[in-house]
């Protein structure tokens, strides 16, 4: 029986003749198949191998010494010959792959002794302690004469074998330590309590880079990591890295967290003014503090005088988010000048009165309606900021004294006049939720001036809410009325009762507040009077 020369054919056994067997190679560790000069032994040559065995050299990847030259001629002898060729220190990994040579592993480890020995977690580095130095006379034989051992604060050790010449040329701290201990061939240094071993290692690696390449490395790291490197470089007085970090950070945008870290860092470390002036100019601390109040006033004025609807709405949201106390920008923010806010609100009220005068003189149309709606929106926007800042009490008092505006309200069209009741609804809601604590005179003036217009416009407010929560408006109205003296409560609740009996759902439902007023006025009064008798 003849065995073909193809490497993919399996060995066969005839039963009486010897077995021709070839080694099969794994795709991941196999060496190239034998050349055409060294072919597998065919069945024709089996007779010759009994007296004169053929020899071939087996070649393993990454192993210099040649393999055994004998070729097995039978299944039993093949197995025994294979076992005889395996080095006692070598094992066969599963999956019929090439043997793993222990000598190869040892040689590879010896070639990589100058690299780090421990992989450490990625932690931030904020401090650096002066390294302890120990001198030993030894011959490393590797071209490195300094060994830097880093011990992490949370565990882990990182050993770096470096050149003392590079360390001395780049770091003033290491230069002083090495110069003071120059008697030994190998300098062993230890840095304990390192918070971020990875950042410290990357900072040391930058000593072997050119200044332009340092900036390229920082670009790959990102801003947050560059700040970590800057802190370590400043601690070991690595000047090239410090100035490269500052140059990179000045040229890129920051997040708020990164900006806060830079503020804290520059408050601790003092550098040359020329190196930090450009970064400090982006903070602009003093100028921002001195002009923030006037800038807020300018923003408010610009919005209240803006005529375009879409940008005005966007700017309202933006400025309200900045000025409100619940804003993310509330840190170190000065108080708003409430006098200016009252002035802006009074300007909008006066503009509203002028528009109603134009309407009463016969002028009407879409521009008039849009102008009234715009001024009401401005007033409510200012009122919401004042309520948030807890400075709305005096503006409620100003609104309660607008007798002329109330008189024009009675003569105006319902589709226009209801806009005024939107302002009153916001005030009632804020007082009902206890967000505005007005004096008794201000509450009484507001109810006396604007309660009847609210009864007239409530149906229109229900149909055109424009952001109002009518349940909250009703609840706020009832709660506000219950804060008045009982004599005034009697007048207001009886007026409401008459309106509600005529108009029903077109009138606010104050039944709950009415019941409370009734119990306070009559039932408890009867109990107290009978007790006195």
């Amino acid at each position: 029986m003849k065995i073909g020369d193809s490497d993919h054919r399996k060995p066969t056994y005839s039963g009486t003749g010897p077995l021709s067997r070839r080694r099969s190679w794994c795709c991941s560790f196999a060496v190239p198949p034998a050349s055409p000069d060294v072919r597998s032994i065919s069945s024709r040559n089996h007779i010759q191998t009994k007296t004169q065995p053929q020899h071939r050299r087996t070649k393993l990847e990454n192993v210099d010494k040649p393999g055994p030259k004998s070729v097995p001629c039978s299944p039993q002898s093949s197995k025994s010959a294979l076992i005889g060729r395996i080095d006692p220190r070598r094992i066969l990994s599963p999956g019929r792959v090439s043997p793993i040579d222990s000598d190869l592993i040892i040689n590879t480890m010896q070639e990589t002794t100058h690299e780090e020995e421990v992989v450490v977690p990625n932690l931030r580095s904020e401090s650096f302690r002066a390294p302890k130095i120990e001198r030993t006379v030894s011959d490393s034989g590797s071209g490195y004469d300094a060994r830097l051992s880093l011990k992490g604060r949370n565990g882990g050790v990182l050993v770096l074998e470096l050149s003392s010449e590079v360390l001395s040329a780049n770091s003033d701290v290491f230069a002083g330590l090495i110069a003071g201990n120059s008697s030994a061939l190998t300098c062993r240094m230890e840095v304990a309590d390192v918070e971020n071993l990875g950042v410290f290692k990357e900072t040391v690696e930058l000593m072997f880079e050119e200044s332009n390449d340092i900036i390229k490395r920082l670009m790959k790291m990102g801003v947050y990591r560059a700040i970590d490197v800057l802190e370590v470089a400043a601690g070991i007085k690595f000047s090239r890295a410090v100035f490269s970090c500052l140059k990179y950070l000045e040229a890129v945008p920051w997040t708020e967290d990164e900006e806060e870290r830079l503020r804290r860092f520059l408050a601790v470390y003092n550098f040359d003014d020329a190196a930090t002036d450009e970064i400090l100019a982006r903070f602009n601390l003093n100028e921002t503090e001195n002009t923030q109040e006037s800038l807020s006033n300018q923003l408010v004025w610009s919005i209240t005088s803006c005529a375009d609807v879409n940008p005005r709405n966007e700017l309202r949201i933006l400025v309200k988010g900045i000025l409100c106390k619940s804003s993310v920008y509330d840190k170190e923010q000065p108080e708003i000048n409430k006098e200016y806010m009252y002035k802006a609100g009074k300007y909008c009220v006066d503009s509203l009165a002028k528009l109603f005068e134009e309407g009463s003189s016969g002028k009407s149309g879409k521009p008039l309606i849009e102008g009234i709606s715009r001024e009401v929106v401005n007033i409510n926007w200012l009122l919401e900021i004042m309520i948030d800042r807890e400075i709305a009490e005096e503006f409620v008092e100003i609104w309660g004294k607008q007798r002329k505006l109330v008189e024009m309200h009675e003569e105006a069209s319902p589709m226009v006049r209801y806009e005024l009741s939107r302002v009153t609804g916001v005030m009632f809601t804020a007082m009902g939720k206890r967000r505005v604590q007005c004096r008794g005179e201000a509450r009484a003036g507001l109810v006396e001036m604007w309660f009847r217009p609210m009864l007239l416009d409530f149906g229109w407010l229900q149909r055109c809410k424009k952001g109002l929560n009518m349940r909250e408006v009703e609840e706020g109205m009832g709660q506000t009325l219950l804060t008045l003296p009982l004599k005034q409560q009697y007048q207001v609740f009886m007026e409401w009762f008459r309106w509600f009996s005529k108009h029903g759902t077109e009138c606010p439902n104050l039944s709950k507040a009415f019941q409370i007023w009734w119990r306070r006025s009559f039932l408890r009064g009867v109990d107290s009077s009978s007790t006195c008798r």
Side-chain angles (χ1 to χ4, degrees):
M1 182 178 182
K2 182 180 292 186
I3 300 177
D5 296 337
S6 175
D7 292 332
H8 300 285
R9 298 188 181 182
K10 299 181 179 179
T12 56
Y13 180 56
S14 62
T16 57
L19 175 66
S20 176
R21 183 169 180 172
R22 285 184 56 80
R23 175 178 299 212
S24 59
W25 298 91
C26 173
C27 62
S28 59
F29 292 92
V31 299
S35 63
D37 297 333
V38 184
R39 294 180 178 275
S40 60
I41 304 173
S42 62
S43 58
R44 179 177 54 83
N45 296 329
H46 276 302
I47 300 174
Q48 298 178 1
T49 57
K50 294 181 180 180
T51 59
Q52 188 177 356
Q54 298 289 328
H55 300 280
R56 76 173 182 175
R57 185 181 300 273
T58 305
K59 187 176 183 180
L60 297 178
E61 186 179 13
N62 294 331
V63 179
D64 296 331
K65 59 183 180 179
K69 300 181 180 180
S70 60
V71 178
C73 297
S74 65
Q76 184 175 1
S77 62
S78 173
K79 183 176 181 180
S80 62
L82 180 61
I83 295 175
R85 292 197 303 269
I86 295 179
D87 192 291
R89 297 174 300 175
R90 296 159 65 194
I91 62 172
L92 285 173
S93 57
R96 300 175 66 187
V97 300
S98 301
I100 299 175
D101 198 329
S102 59
D103 292 337
L104 179 61
I105 297 175
I106 294 174
N107 294 334
T108 305
M109 292 178 63
Q110 291 177 352
E111 292 175 358
T112 60
T113 54
H114 304 302
E115 299 179 357
E116 58 271 18
E117 298 175 0
V118 179
V119 178
V120 296
N122 183 14
L123 303 172
R124 293 193 307 169
S125 175
E126 295 182 354
S127 63
F128 172 77
R129 292 185 178 180
K132 299 177 180 180
I133 187 164
E134 178 185 353
R135 281 292 193 170
T136 60
V137 179
S138 62
D139 185 9
S140 60
S142 59
Y144 298 108
D145 56 356
R147 172 169 290 190
L148 181 60
S149 179
L150 308 177
K151 292 187 177 181
R153 181 177 301 176
N154 298 322
V157 178
L158 183 63
V159 179
L160 302 176
E161 291 192 357
L162 305 163
S163 171
S164 61
E165 182 180 356
V166 175
L167 290 175
S168 300
N170 290 277
S171 171
D172 294 342
V173 173
F174 290 139
L177 294 169
I178 294 173
N181 297 268
S182 58
S183 58
L185 295 177
T186 301
C187 177
R188 297 183 181 274
M189 292 174 289
E190 178 182 314
V191 182
D193 199 29
V194 178
E195 186 172 348
N196 192 327
L197 296 174
V199 171
F200 206 110
K201 170 180 170 291
E202 291 177 354
T203 306
V204 173
E205 288 177 348
L206 294 179
M207 296 181 182
F208 297 87
E209 302 285 351
E210 298 292 336
S211 297
N212 294 334
D213 295 332
I214 291 178
I215 295 180
K216 293 179 181 178
R217 289 279 298 271
L218 294 173
M219 292 173 61
K220 295 180 180 179
M221 296 178 187
V223 174
Y224 202 92
R225 192 74 164 180
I227 299 174
D228 290 334
V229 172
L230 177 60
E231 292 174 352
V232 176
I236 62 177
K237 297 182 179 179
F238 180 13
S239 301
R240 283 198 309 127
V242 168
F243 290 112
S244 296
C245 289
L246 293 175
K247 183 178 179 181
Y248 165 71
L249 293 173
E250 190 278 329
V252 296
W254 313 321
T255 63
E256 291 189 9
D257 187 25
E258 293 164 352
E259 179 180 345
E260 190 65 26
R261 289 190 63 201
L262 275 175
R263 287 179 186 272
R264 294 196 302 265
F265 173 79
L266 293 176
V268 174
Y269 292 93
N270 295 322
F271 299 106
D272 184 15
D273 292 339
T276 57
D277 280 348
E278 294 182 353
I279 291 181
L280 292 176
R282 291 175 61 173
F283 295 144
N284 209 10
L285 298 176
N286 296 330
E287 184 178 353
T288 302
E289 292 177 352
N290 295 333
T291 62
Q292 186 170 14
E293 184 176 340
S294 61
L295 179 60
S296 301
N297 298 339
Q298 293 177 20
L299 294 176
V300 171
W301 183 262
S302 298
I303 292 174
T304 54
S305 59
C306 182
D308 200 339
V309 177
N310 293 331
R312 186 176 64 243
N313 294 337
E314 293 293 334
L315 291 175
R316 282 197 193 105
I317 298 173
L318 173 62
V319 176
K320 181 183 176 182
I322 294 174
L323 299 181
C324 286
K325 292 178 66 176
S326 58
S327 170
V328 296
Y329 303 98
D330 191 46
K331 304 174 184 177
E332 303 177 0
Q333 186 181 33
E335 292 294 330
I336 295 178
N337 187 343
K338 66 178 184 179
E339 297 299 330
Y340 185 85
M341 296 294 292
Y342 295 155
K343 182 178 179 181
K346 188 68 168 56
Y347 172 80
C348 294
V349 173
D350 292 342
S351 299
L352 197 59
K354 291 179 181 180
L355 291 172
F356 271 89
E357 289 178 355
E358 294 177 2
S360 61
S361 63
K363 182 180 179 180
S364 61
K366 186 176 179 181
L368 179 65
I369 297 175
E370 289 179 350
I372 293 174
S373 178
R374 181 178 65 251
E375 296 301 334
V376 169
V377 171
N378 289 336
I379 294 173
N380 282 340
W381 175 71
L382 292 171
L383 183 59
E384 289 175 359
I385 296 176
M386 289 187 282
I387 291 172
D388 184 83
R389 286 282 180 170
E390 301 176 356
I391 56 174
E393 289 78 11
E394 294 184 25
F395 188 75
V396 173
E397 188 174 353
I398 292 173
W399 185 251
K401 296 179 180 179
Q402 301 299 316
R403 184 174 298 276
K404 183 178 181 180
L405 200 56
V406 173
E407 293 174 355
M408 290 186 292
H409 173 275
E410 296 177 356
E411 301 174 358
S413 170
M415 63 183 302
V416 176
R417 70 187 186 191
Y418 87 97
E419 293 280 359
L420 298 178
S421 295
R422 288 174 54 202
V423 178
T424 310
V426 173
M427 293 182 178
F428 277 135
T429 301
M431 288 189 290
K433 292 182 176 181
R434 306 175 183 177
R435 300 186 65 188
V436 177
Q437 294 82 35
C438 296
R439 297 181 302 165
E441 295 179 359
R443 296 194 305 271
L446 180 69
V447 173
E448 180 183 357
M449 197 68 61
W450 291 102
F451 183 71
R452 183 178 177 84
M454 280 292 294
L455 297 180
L456 288 172
D457 298 333
F458 196 81
W460 276 87
L461 290 175
Q462 285 180 315
R463 289 185 289 271
C464 305
K465 299 181 178 66
K466 293 185 178 181
L468 282 179
N469 187 326
M470 300 311 298
R471 290 292 180 90
E472 293 182 353
V473 172
E474 291 177 329
E475 183 69 19
M477 289 180 66
Q479 294 294 329
T480 303
L481 296 181
L482 292 174
T483 63
L484 302 176
L486 283 177
K487 183 178 180 180
Q488 190 176 4
Q489 288 185 39
Y490 170 77
Q491 297 173 354
V492 173
F493 277 114
M494 293 306 297
E495 183 178 7
W496 168 81
F497 195 87
R498 290 191 295 267
W499 272 88
F500 193 78
S501 62
K502 293 181 180 179
H503 301 283
T505 57
E506 293 290 309
C507 184
N509 190 348
L510 305 180
S511 301
K512 183 178 179 180
F514 185 87
Q515 293 175 5
I516 296 173
W517 164 75
W518 182 268
R519 287 196 299 269
R520 289 177 179 176
S521 301
F522 301 103
L523 298 182
R524 293 179 182 177
V526 172
D527 293 340
S528 61
S529 60
S530 61
T531 302
C532 294
R533 292 177 183 176

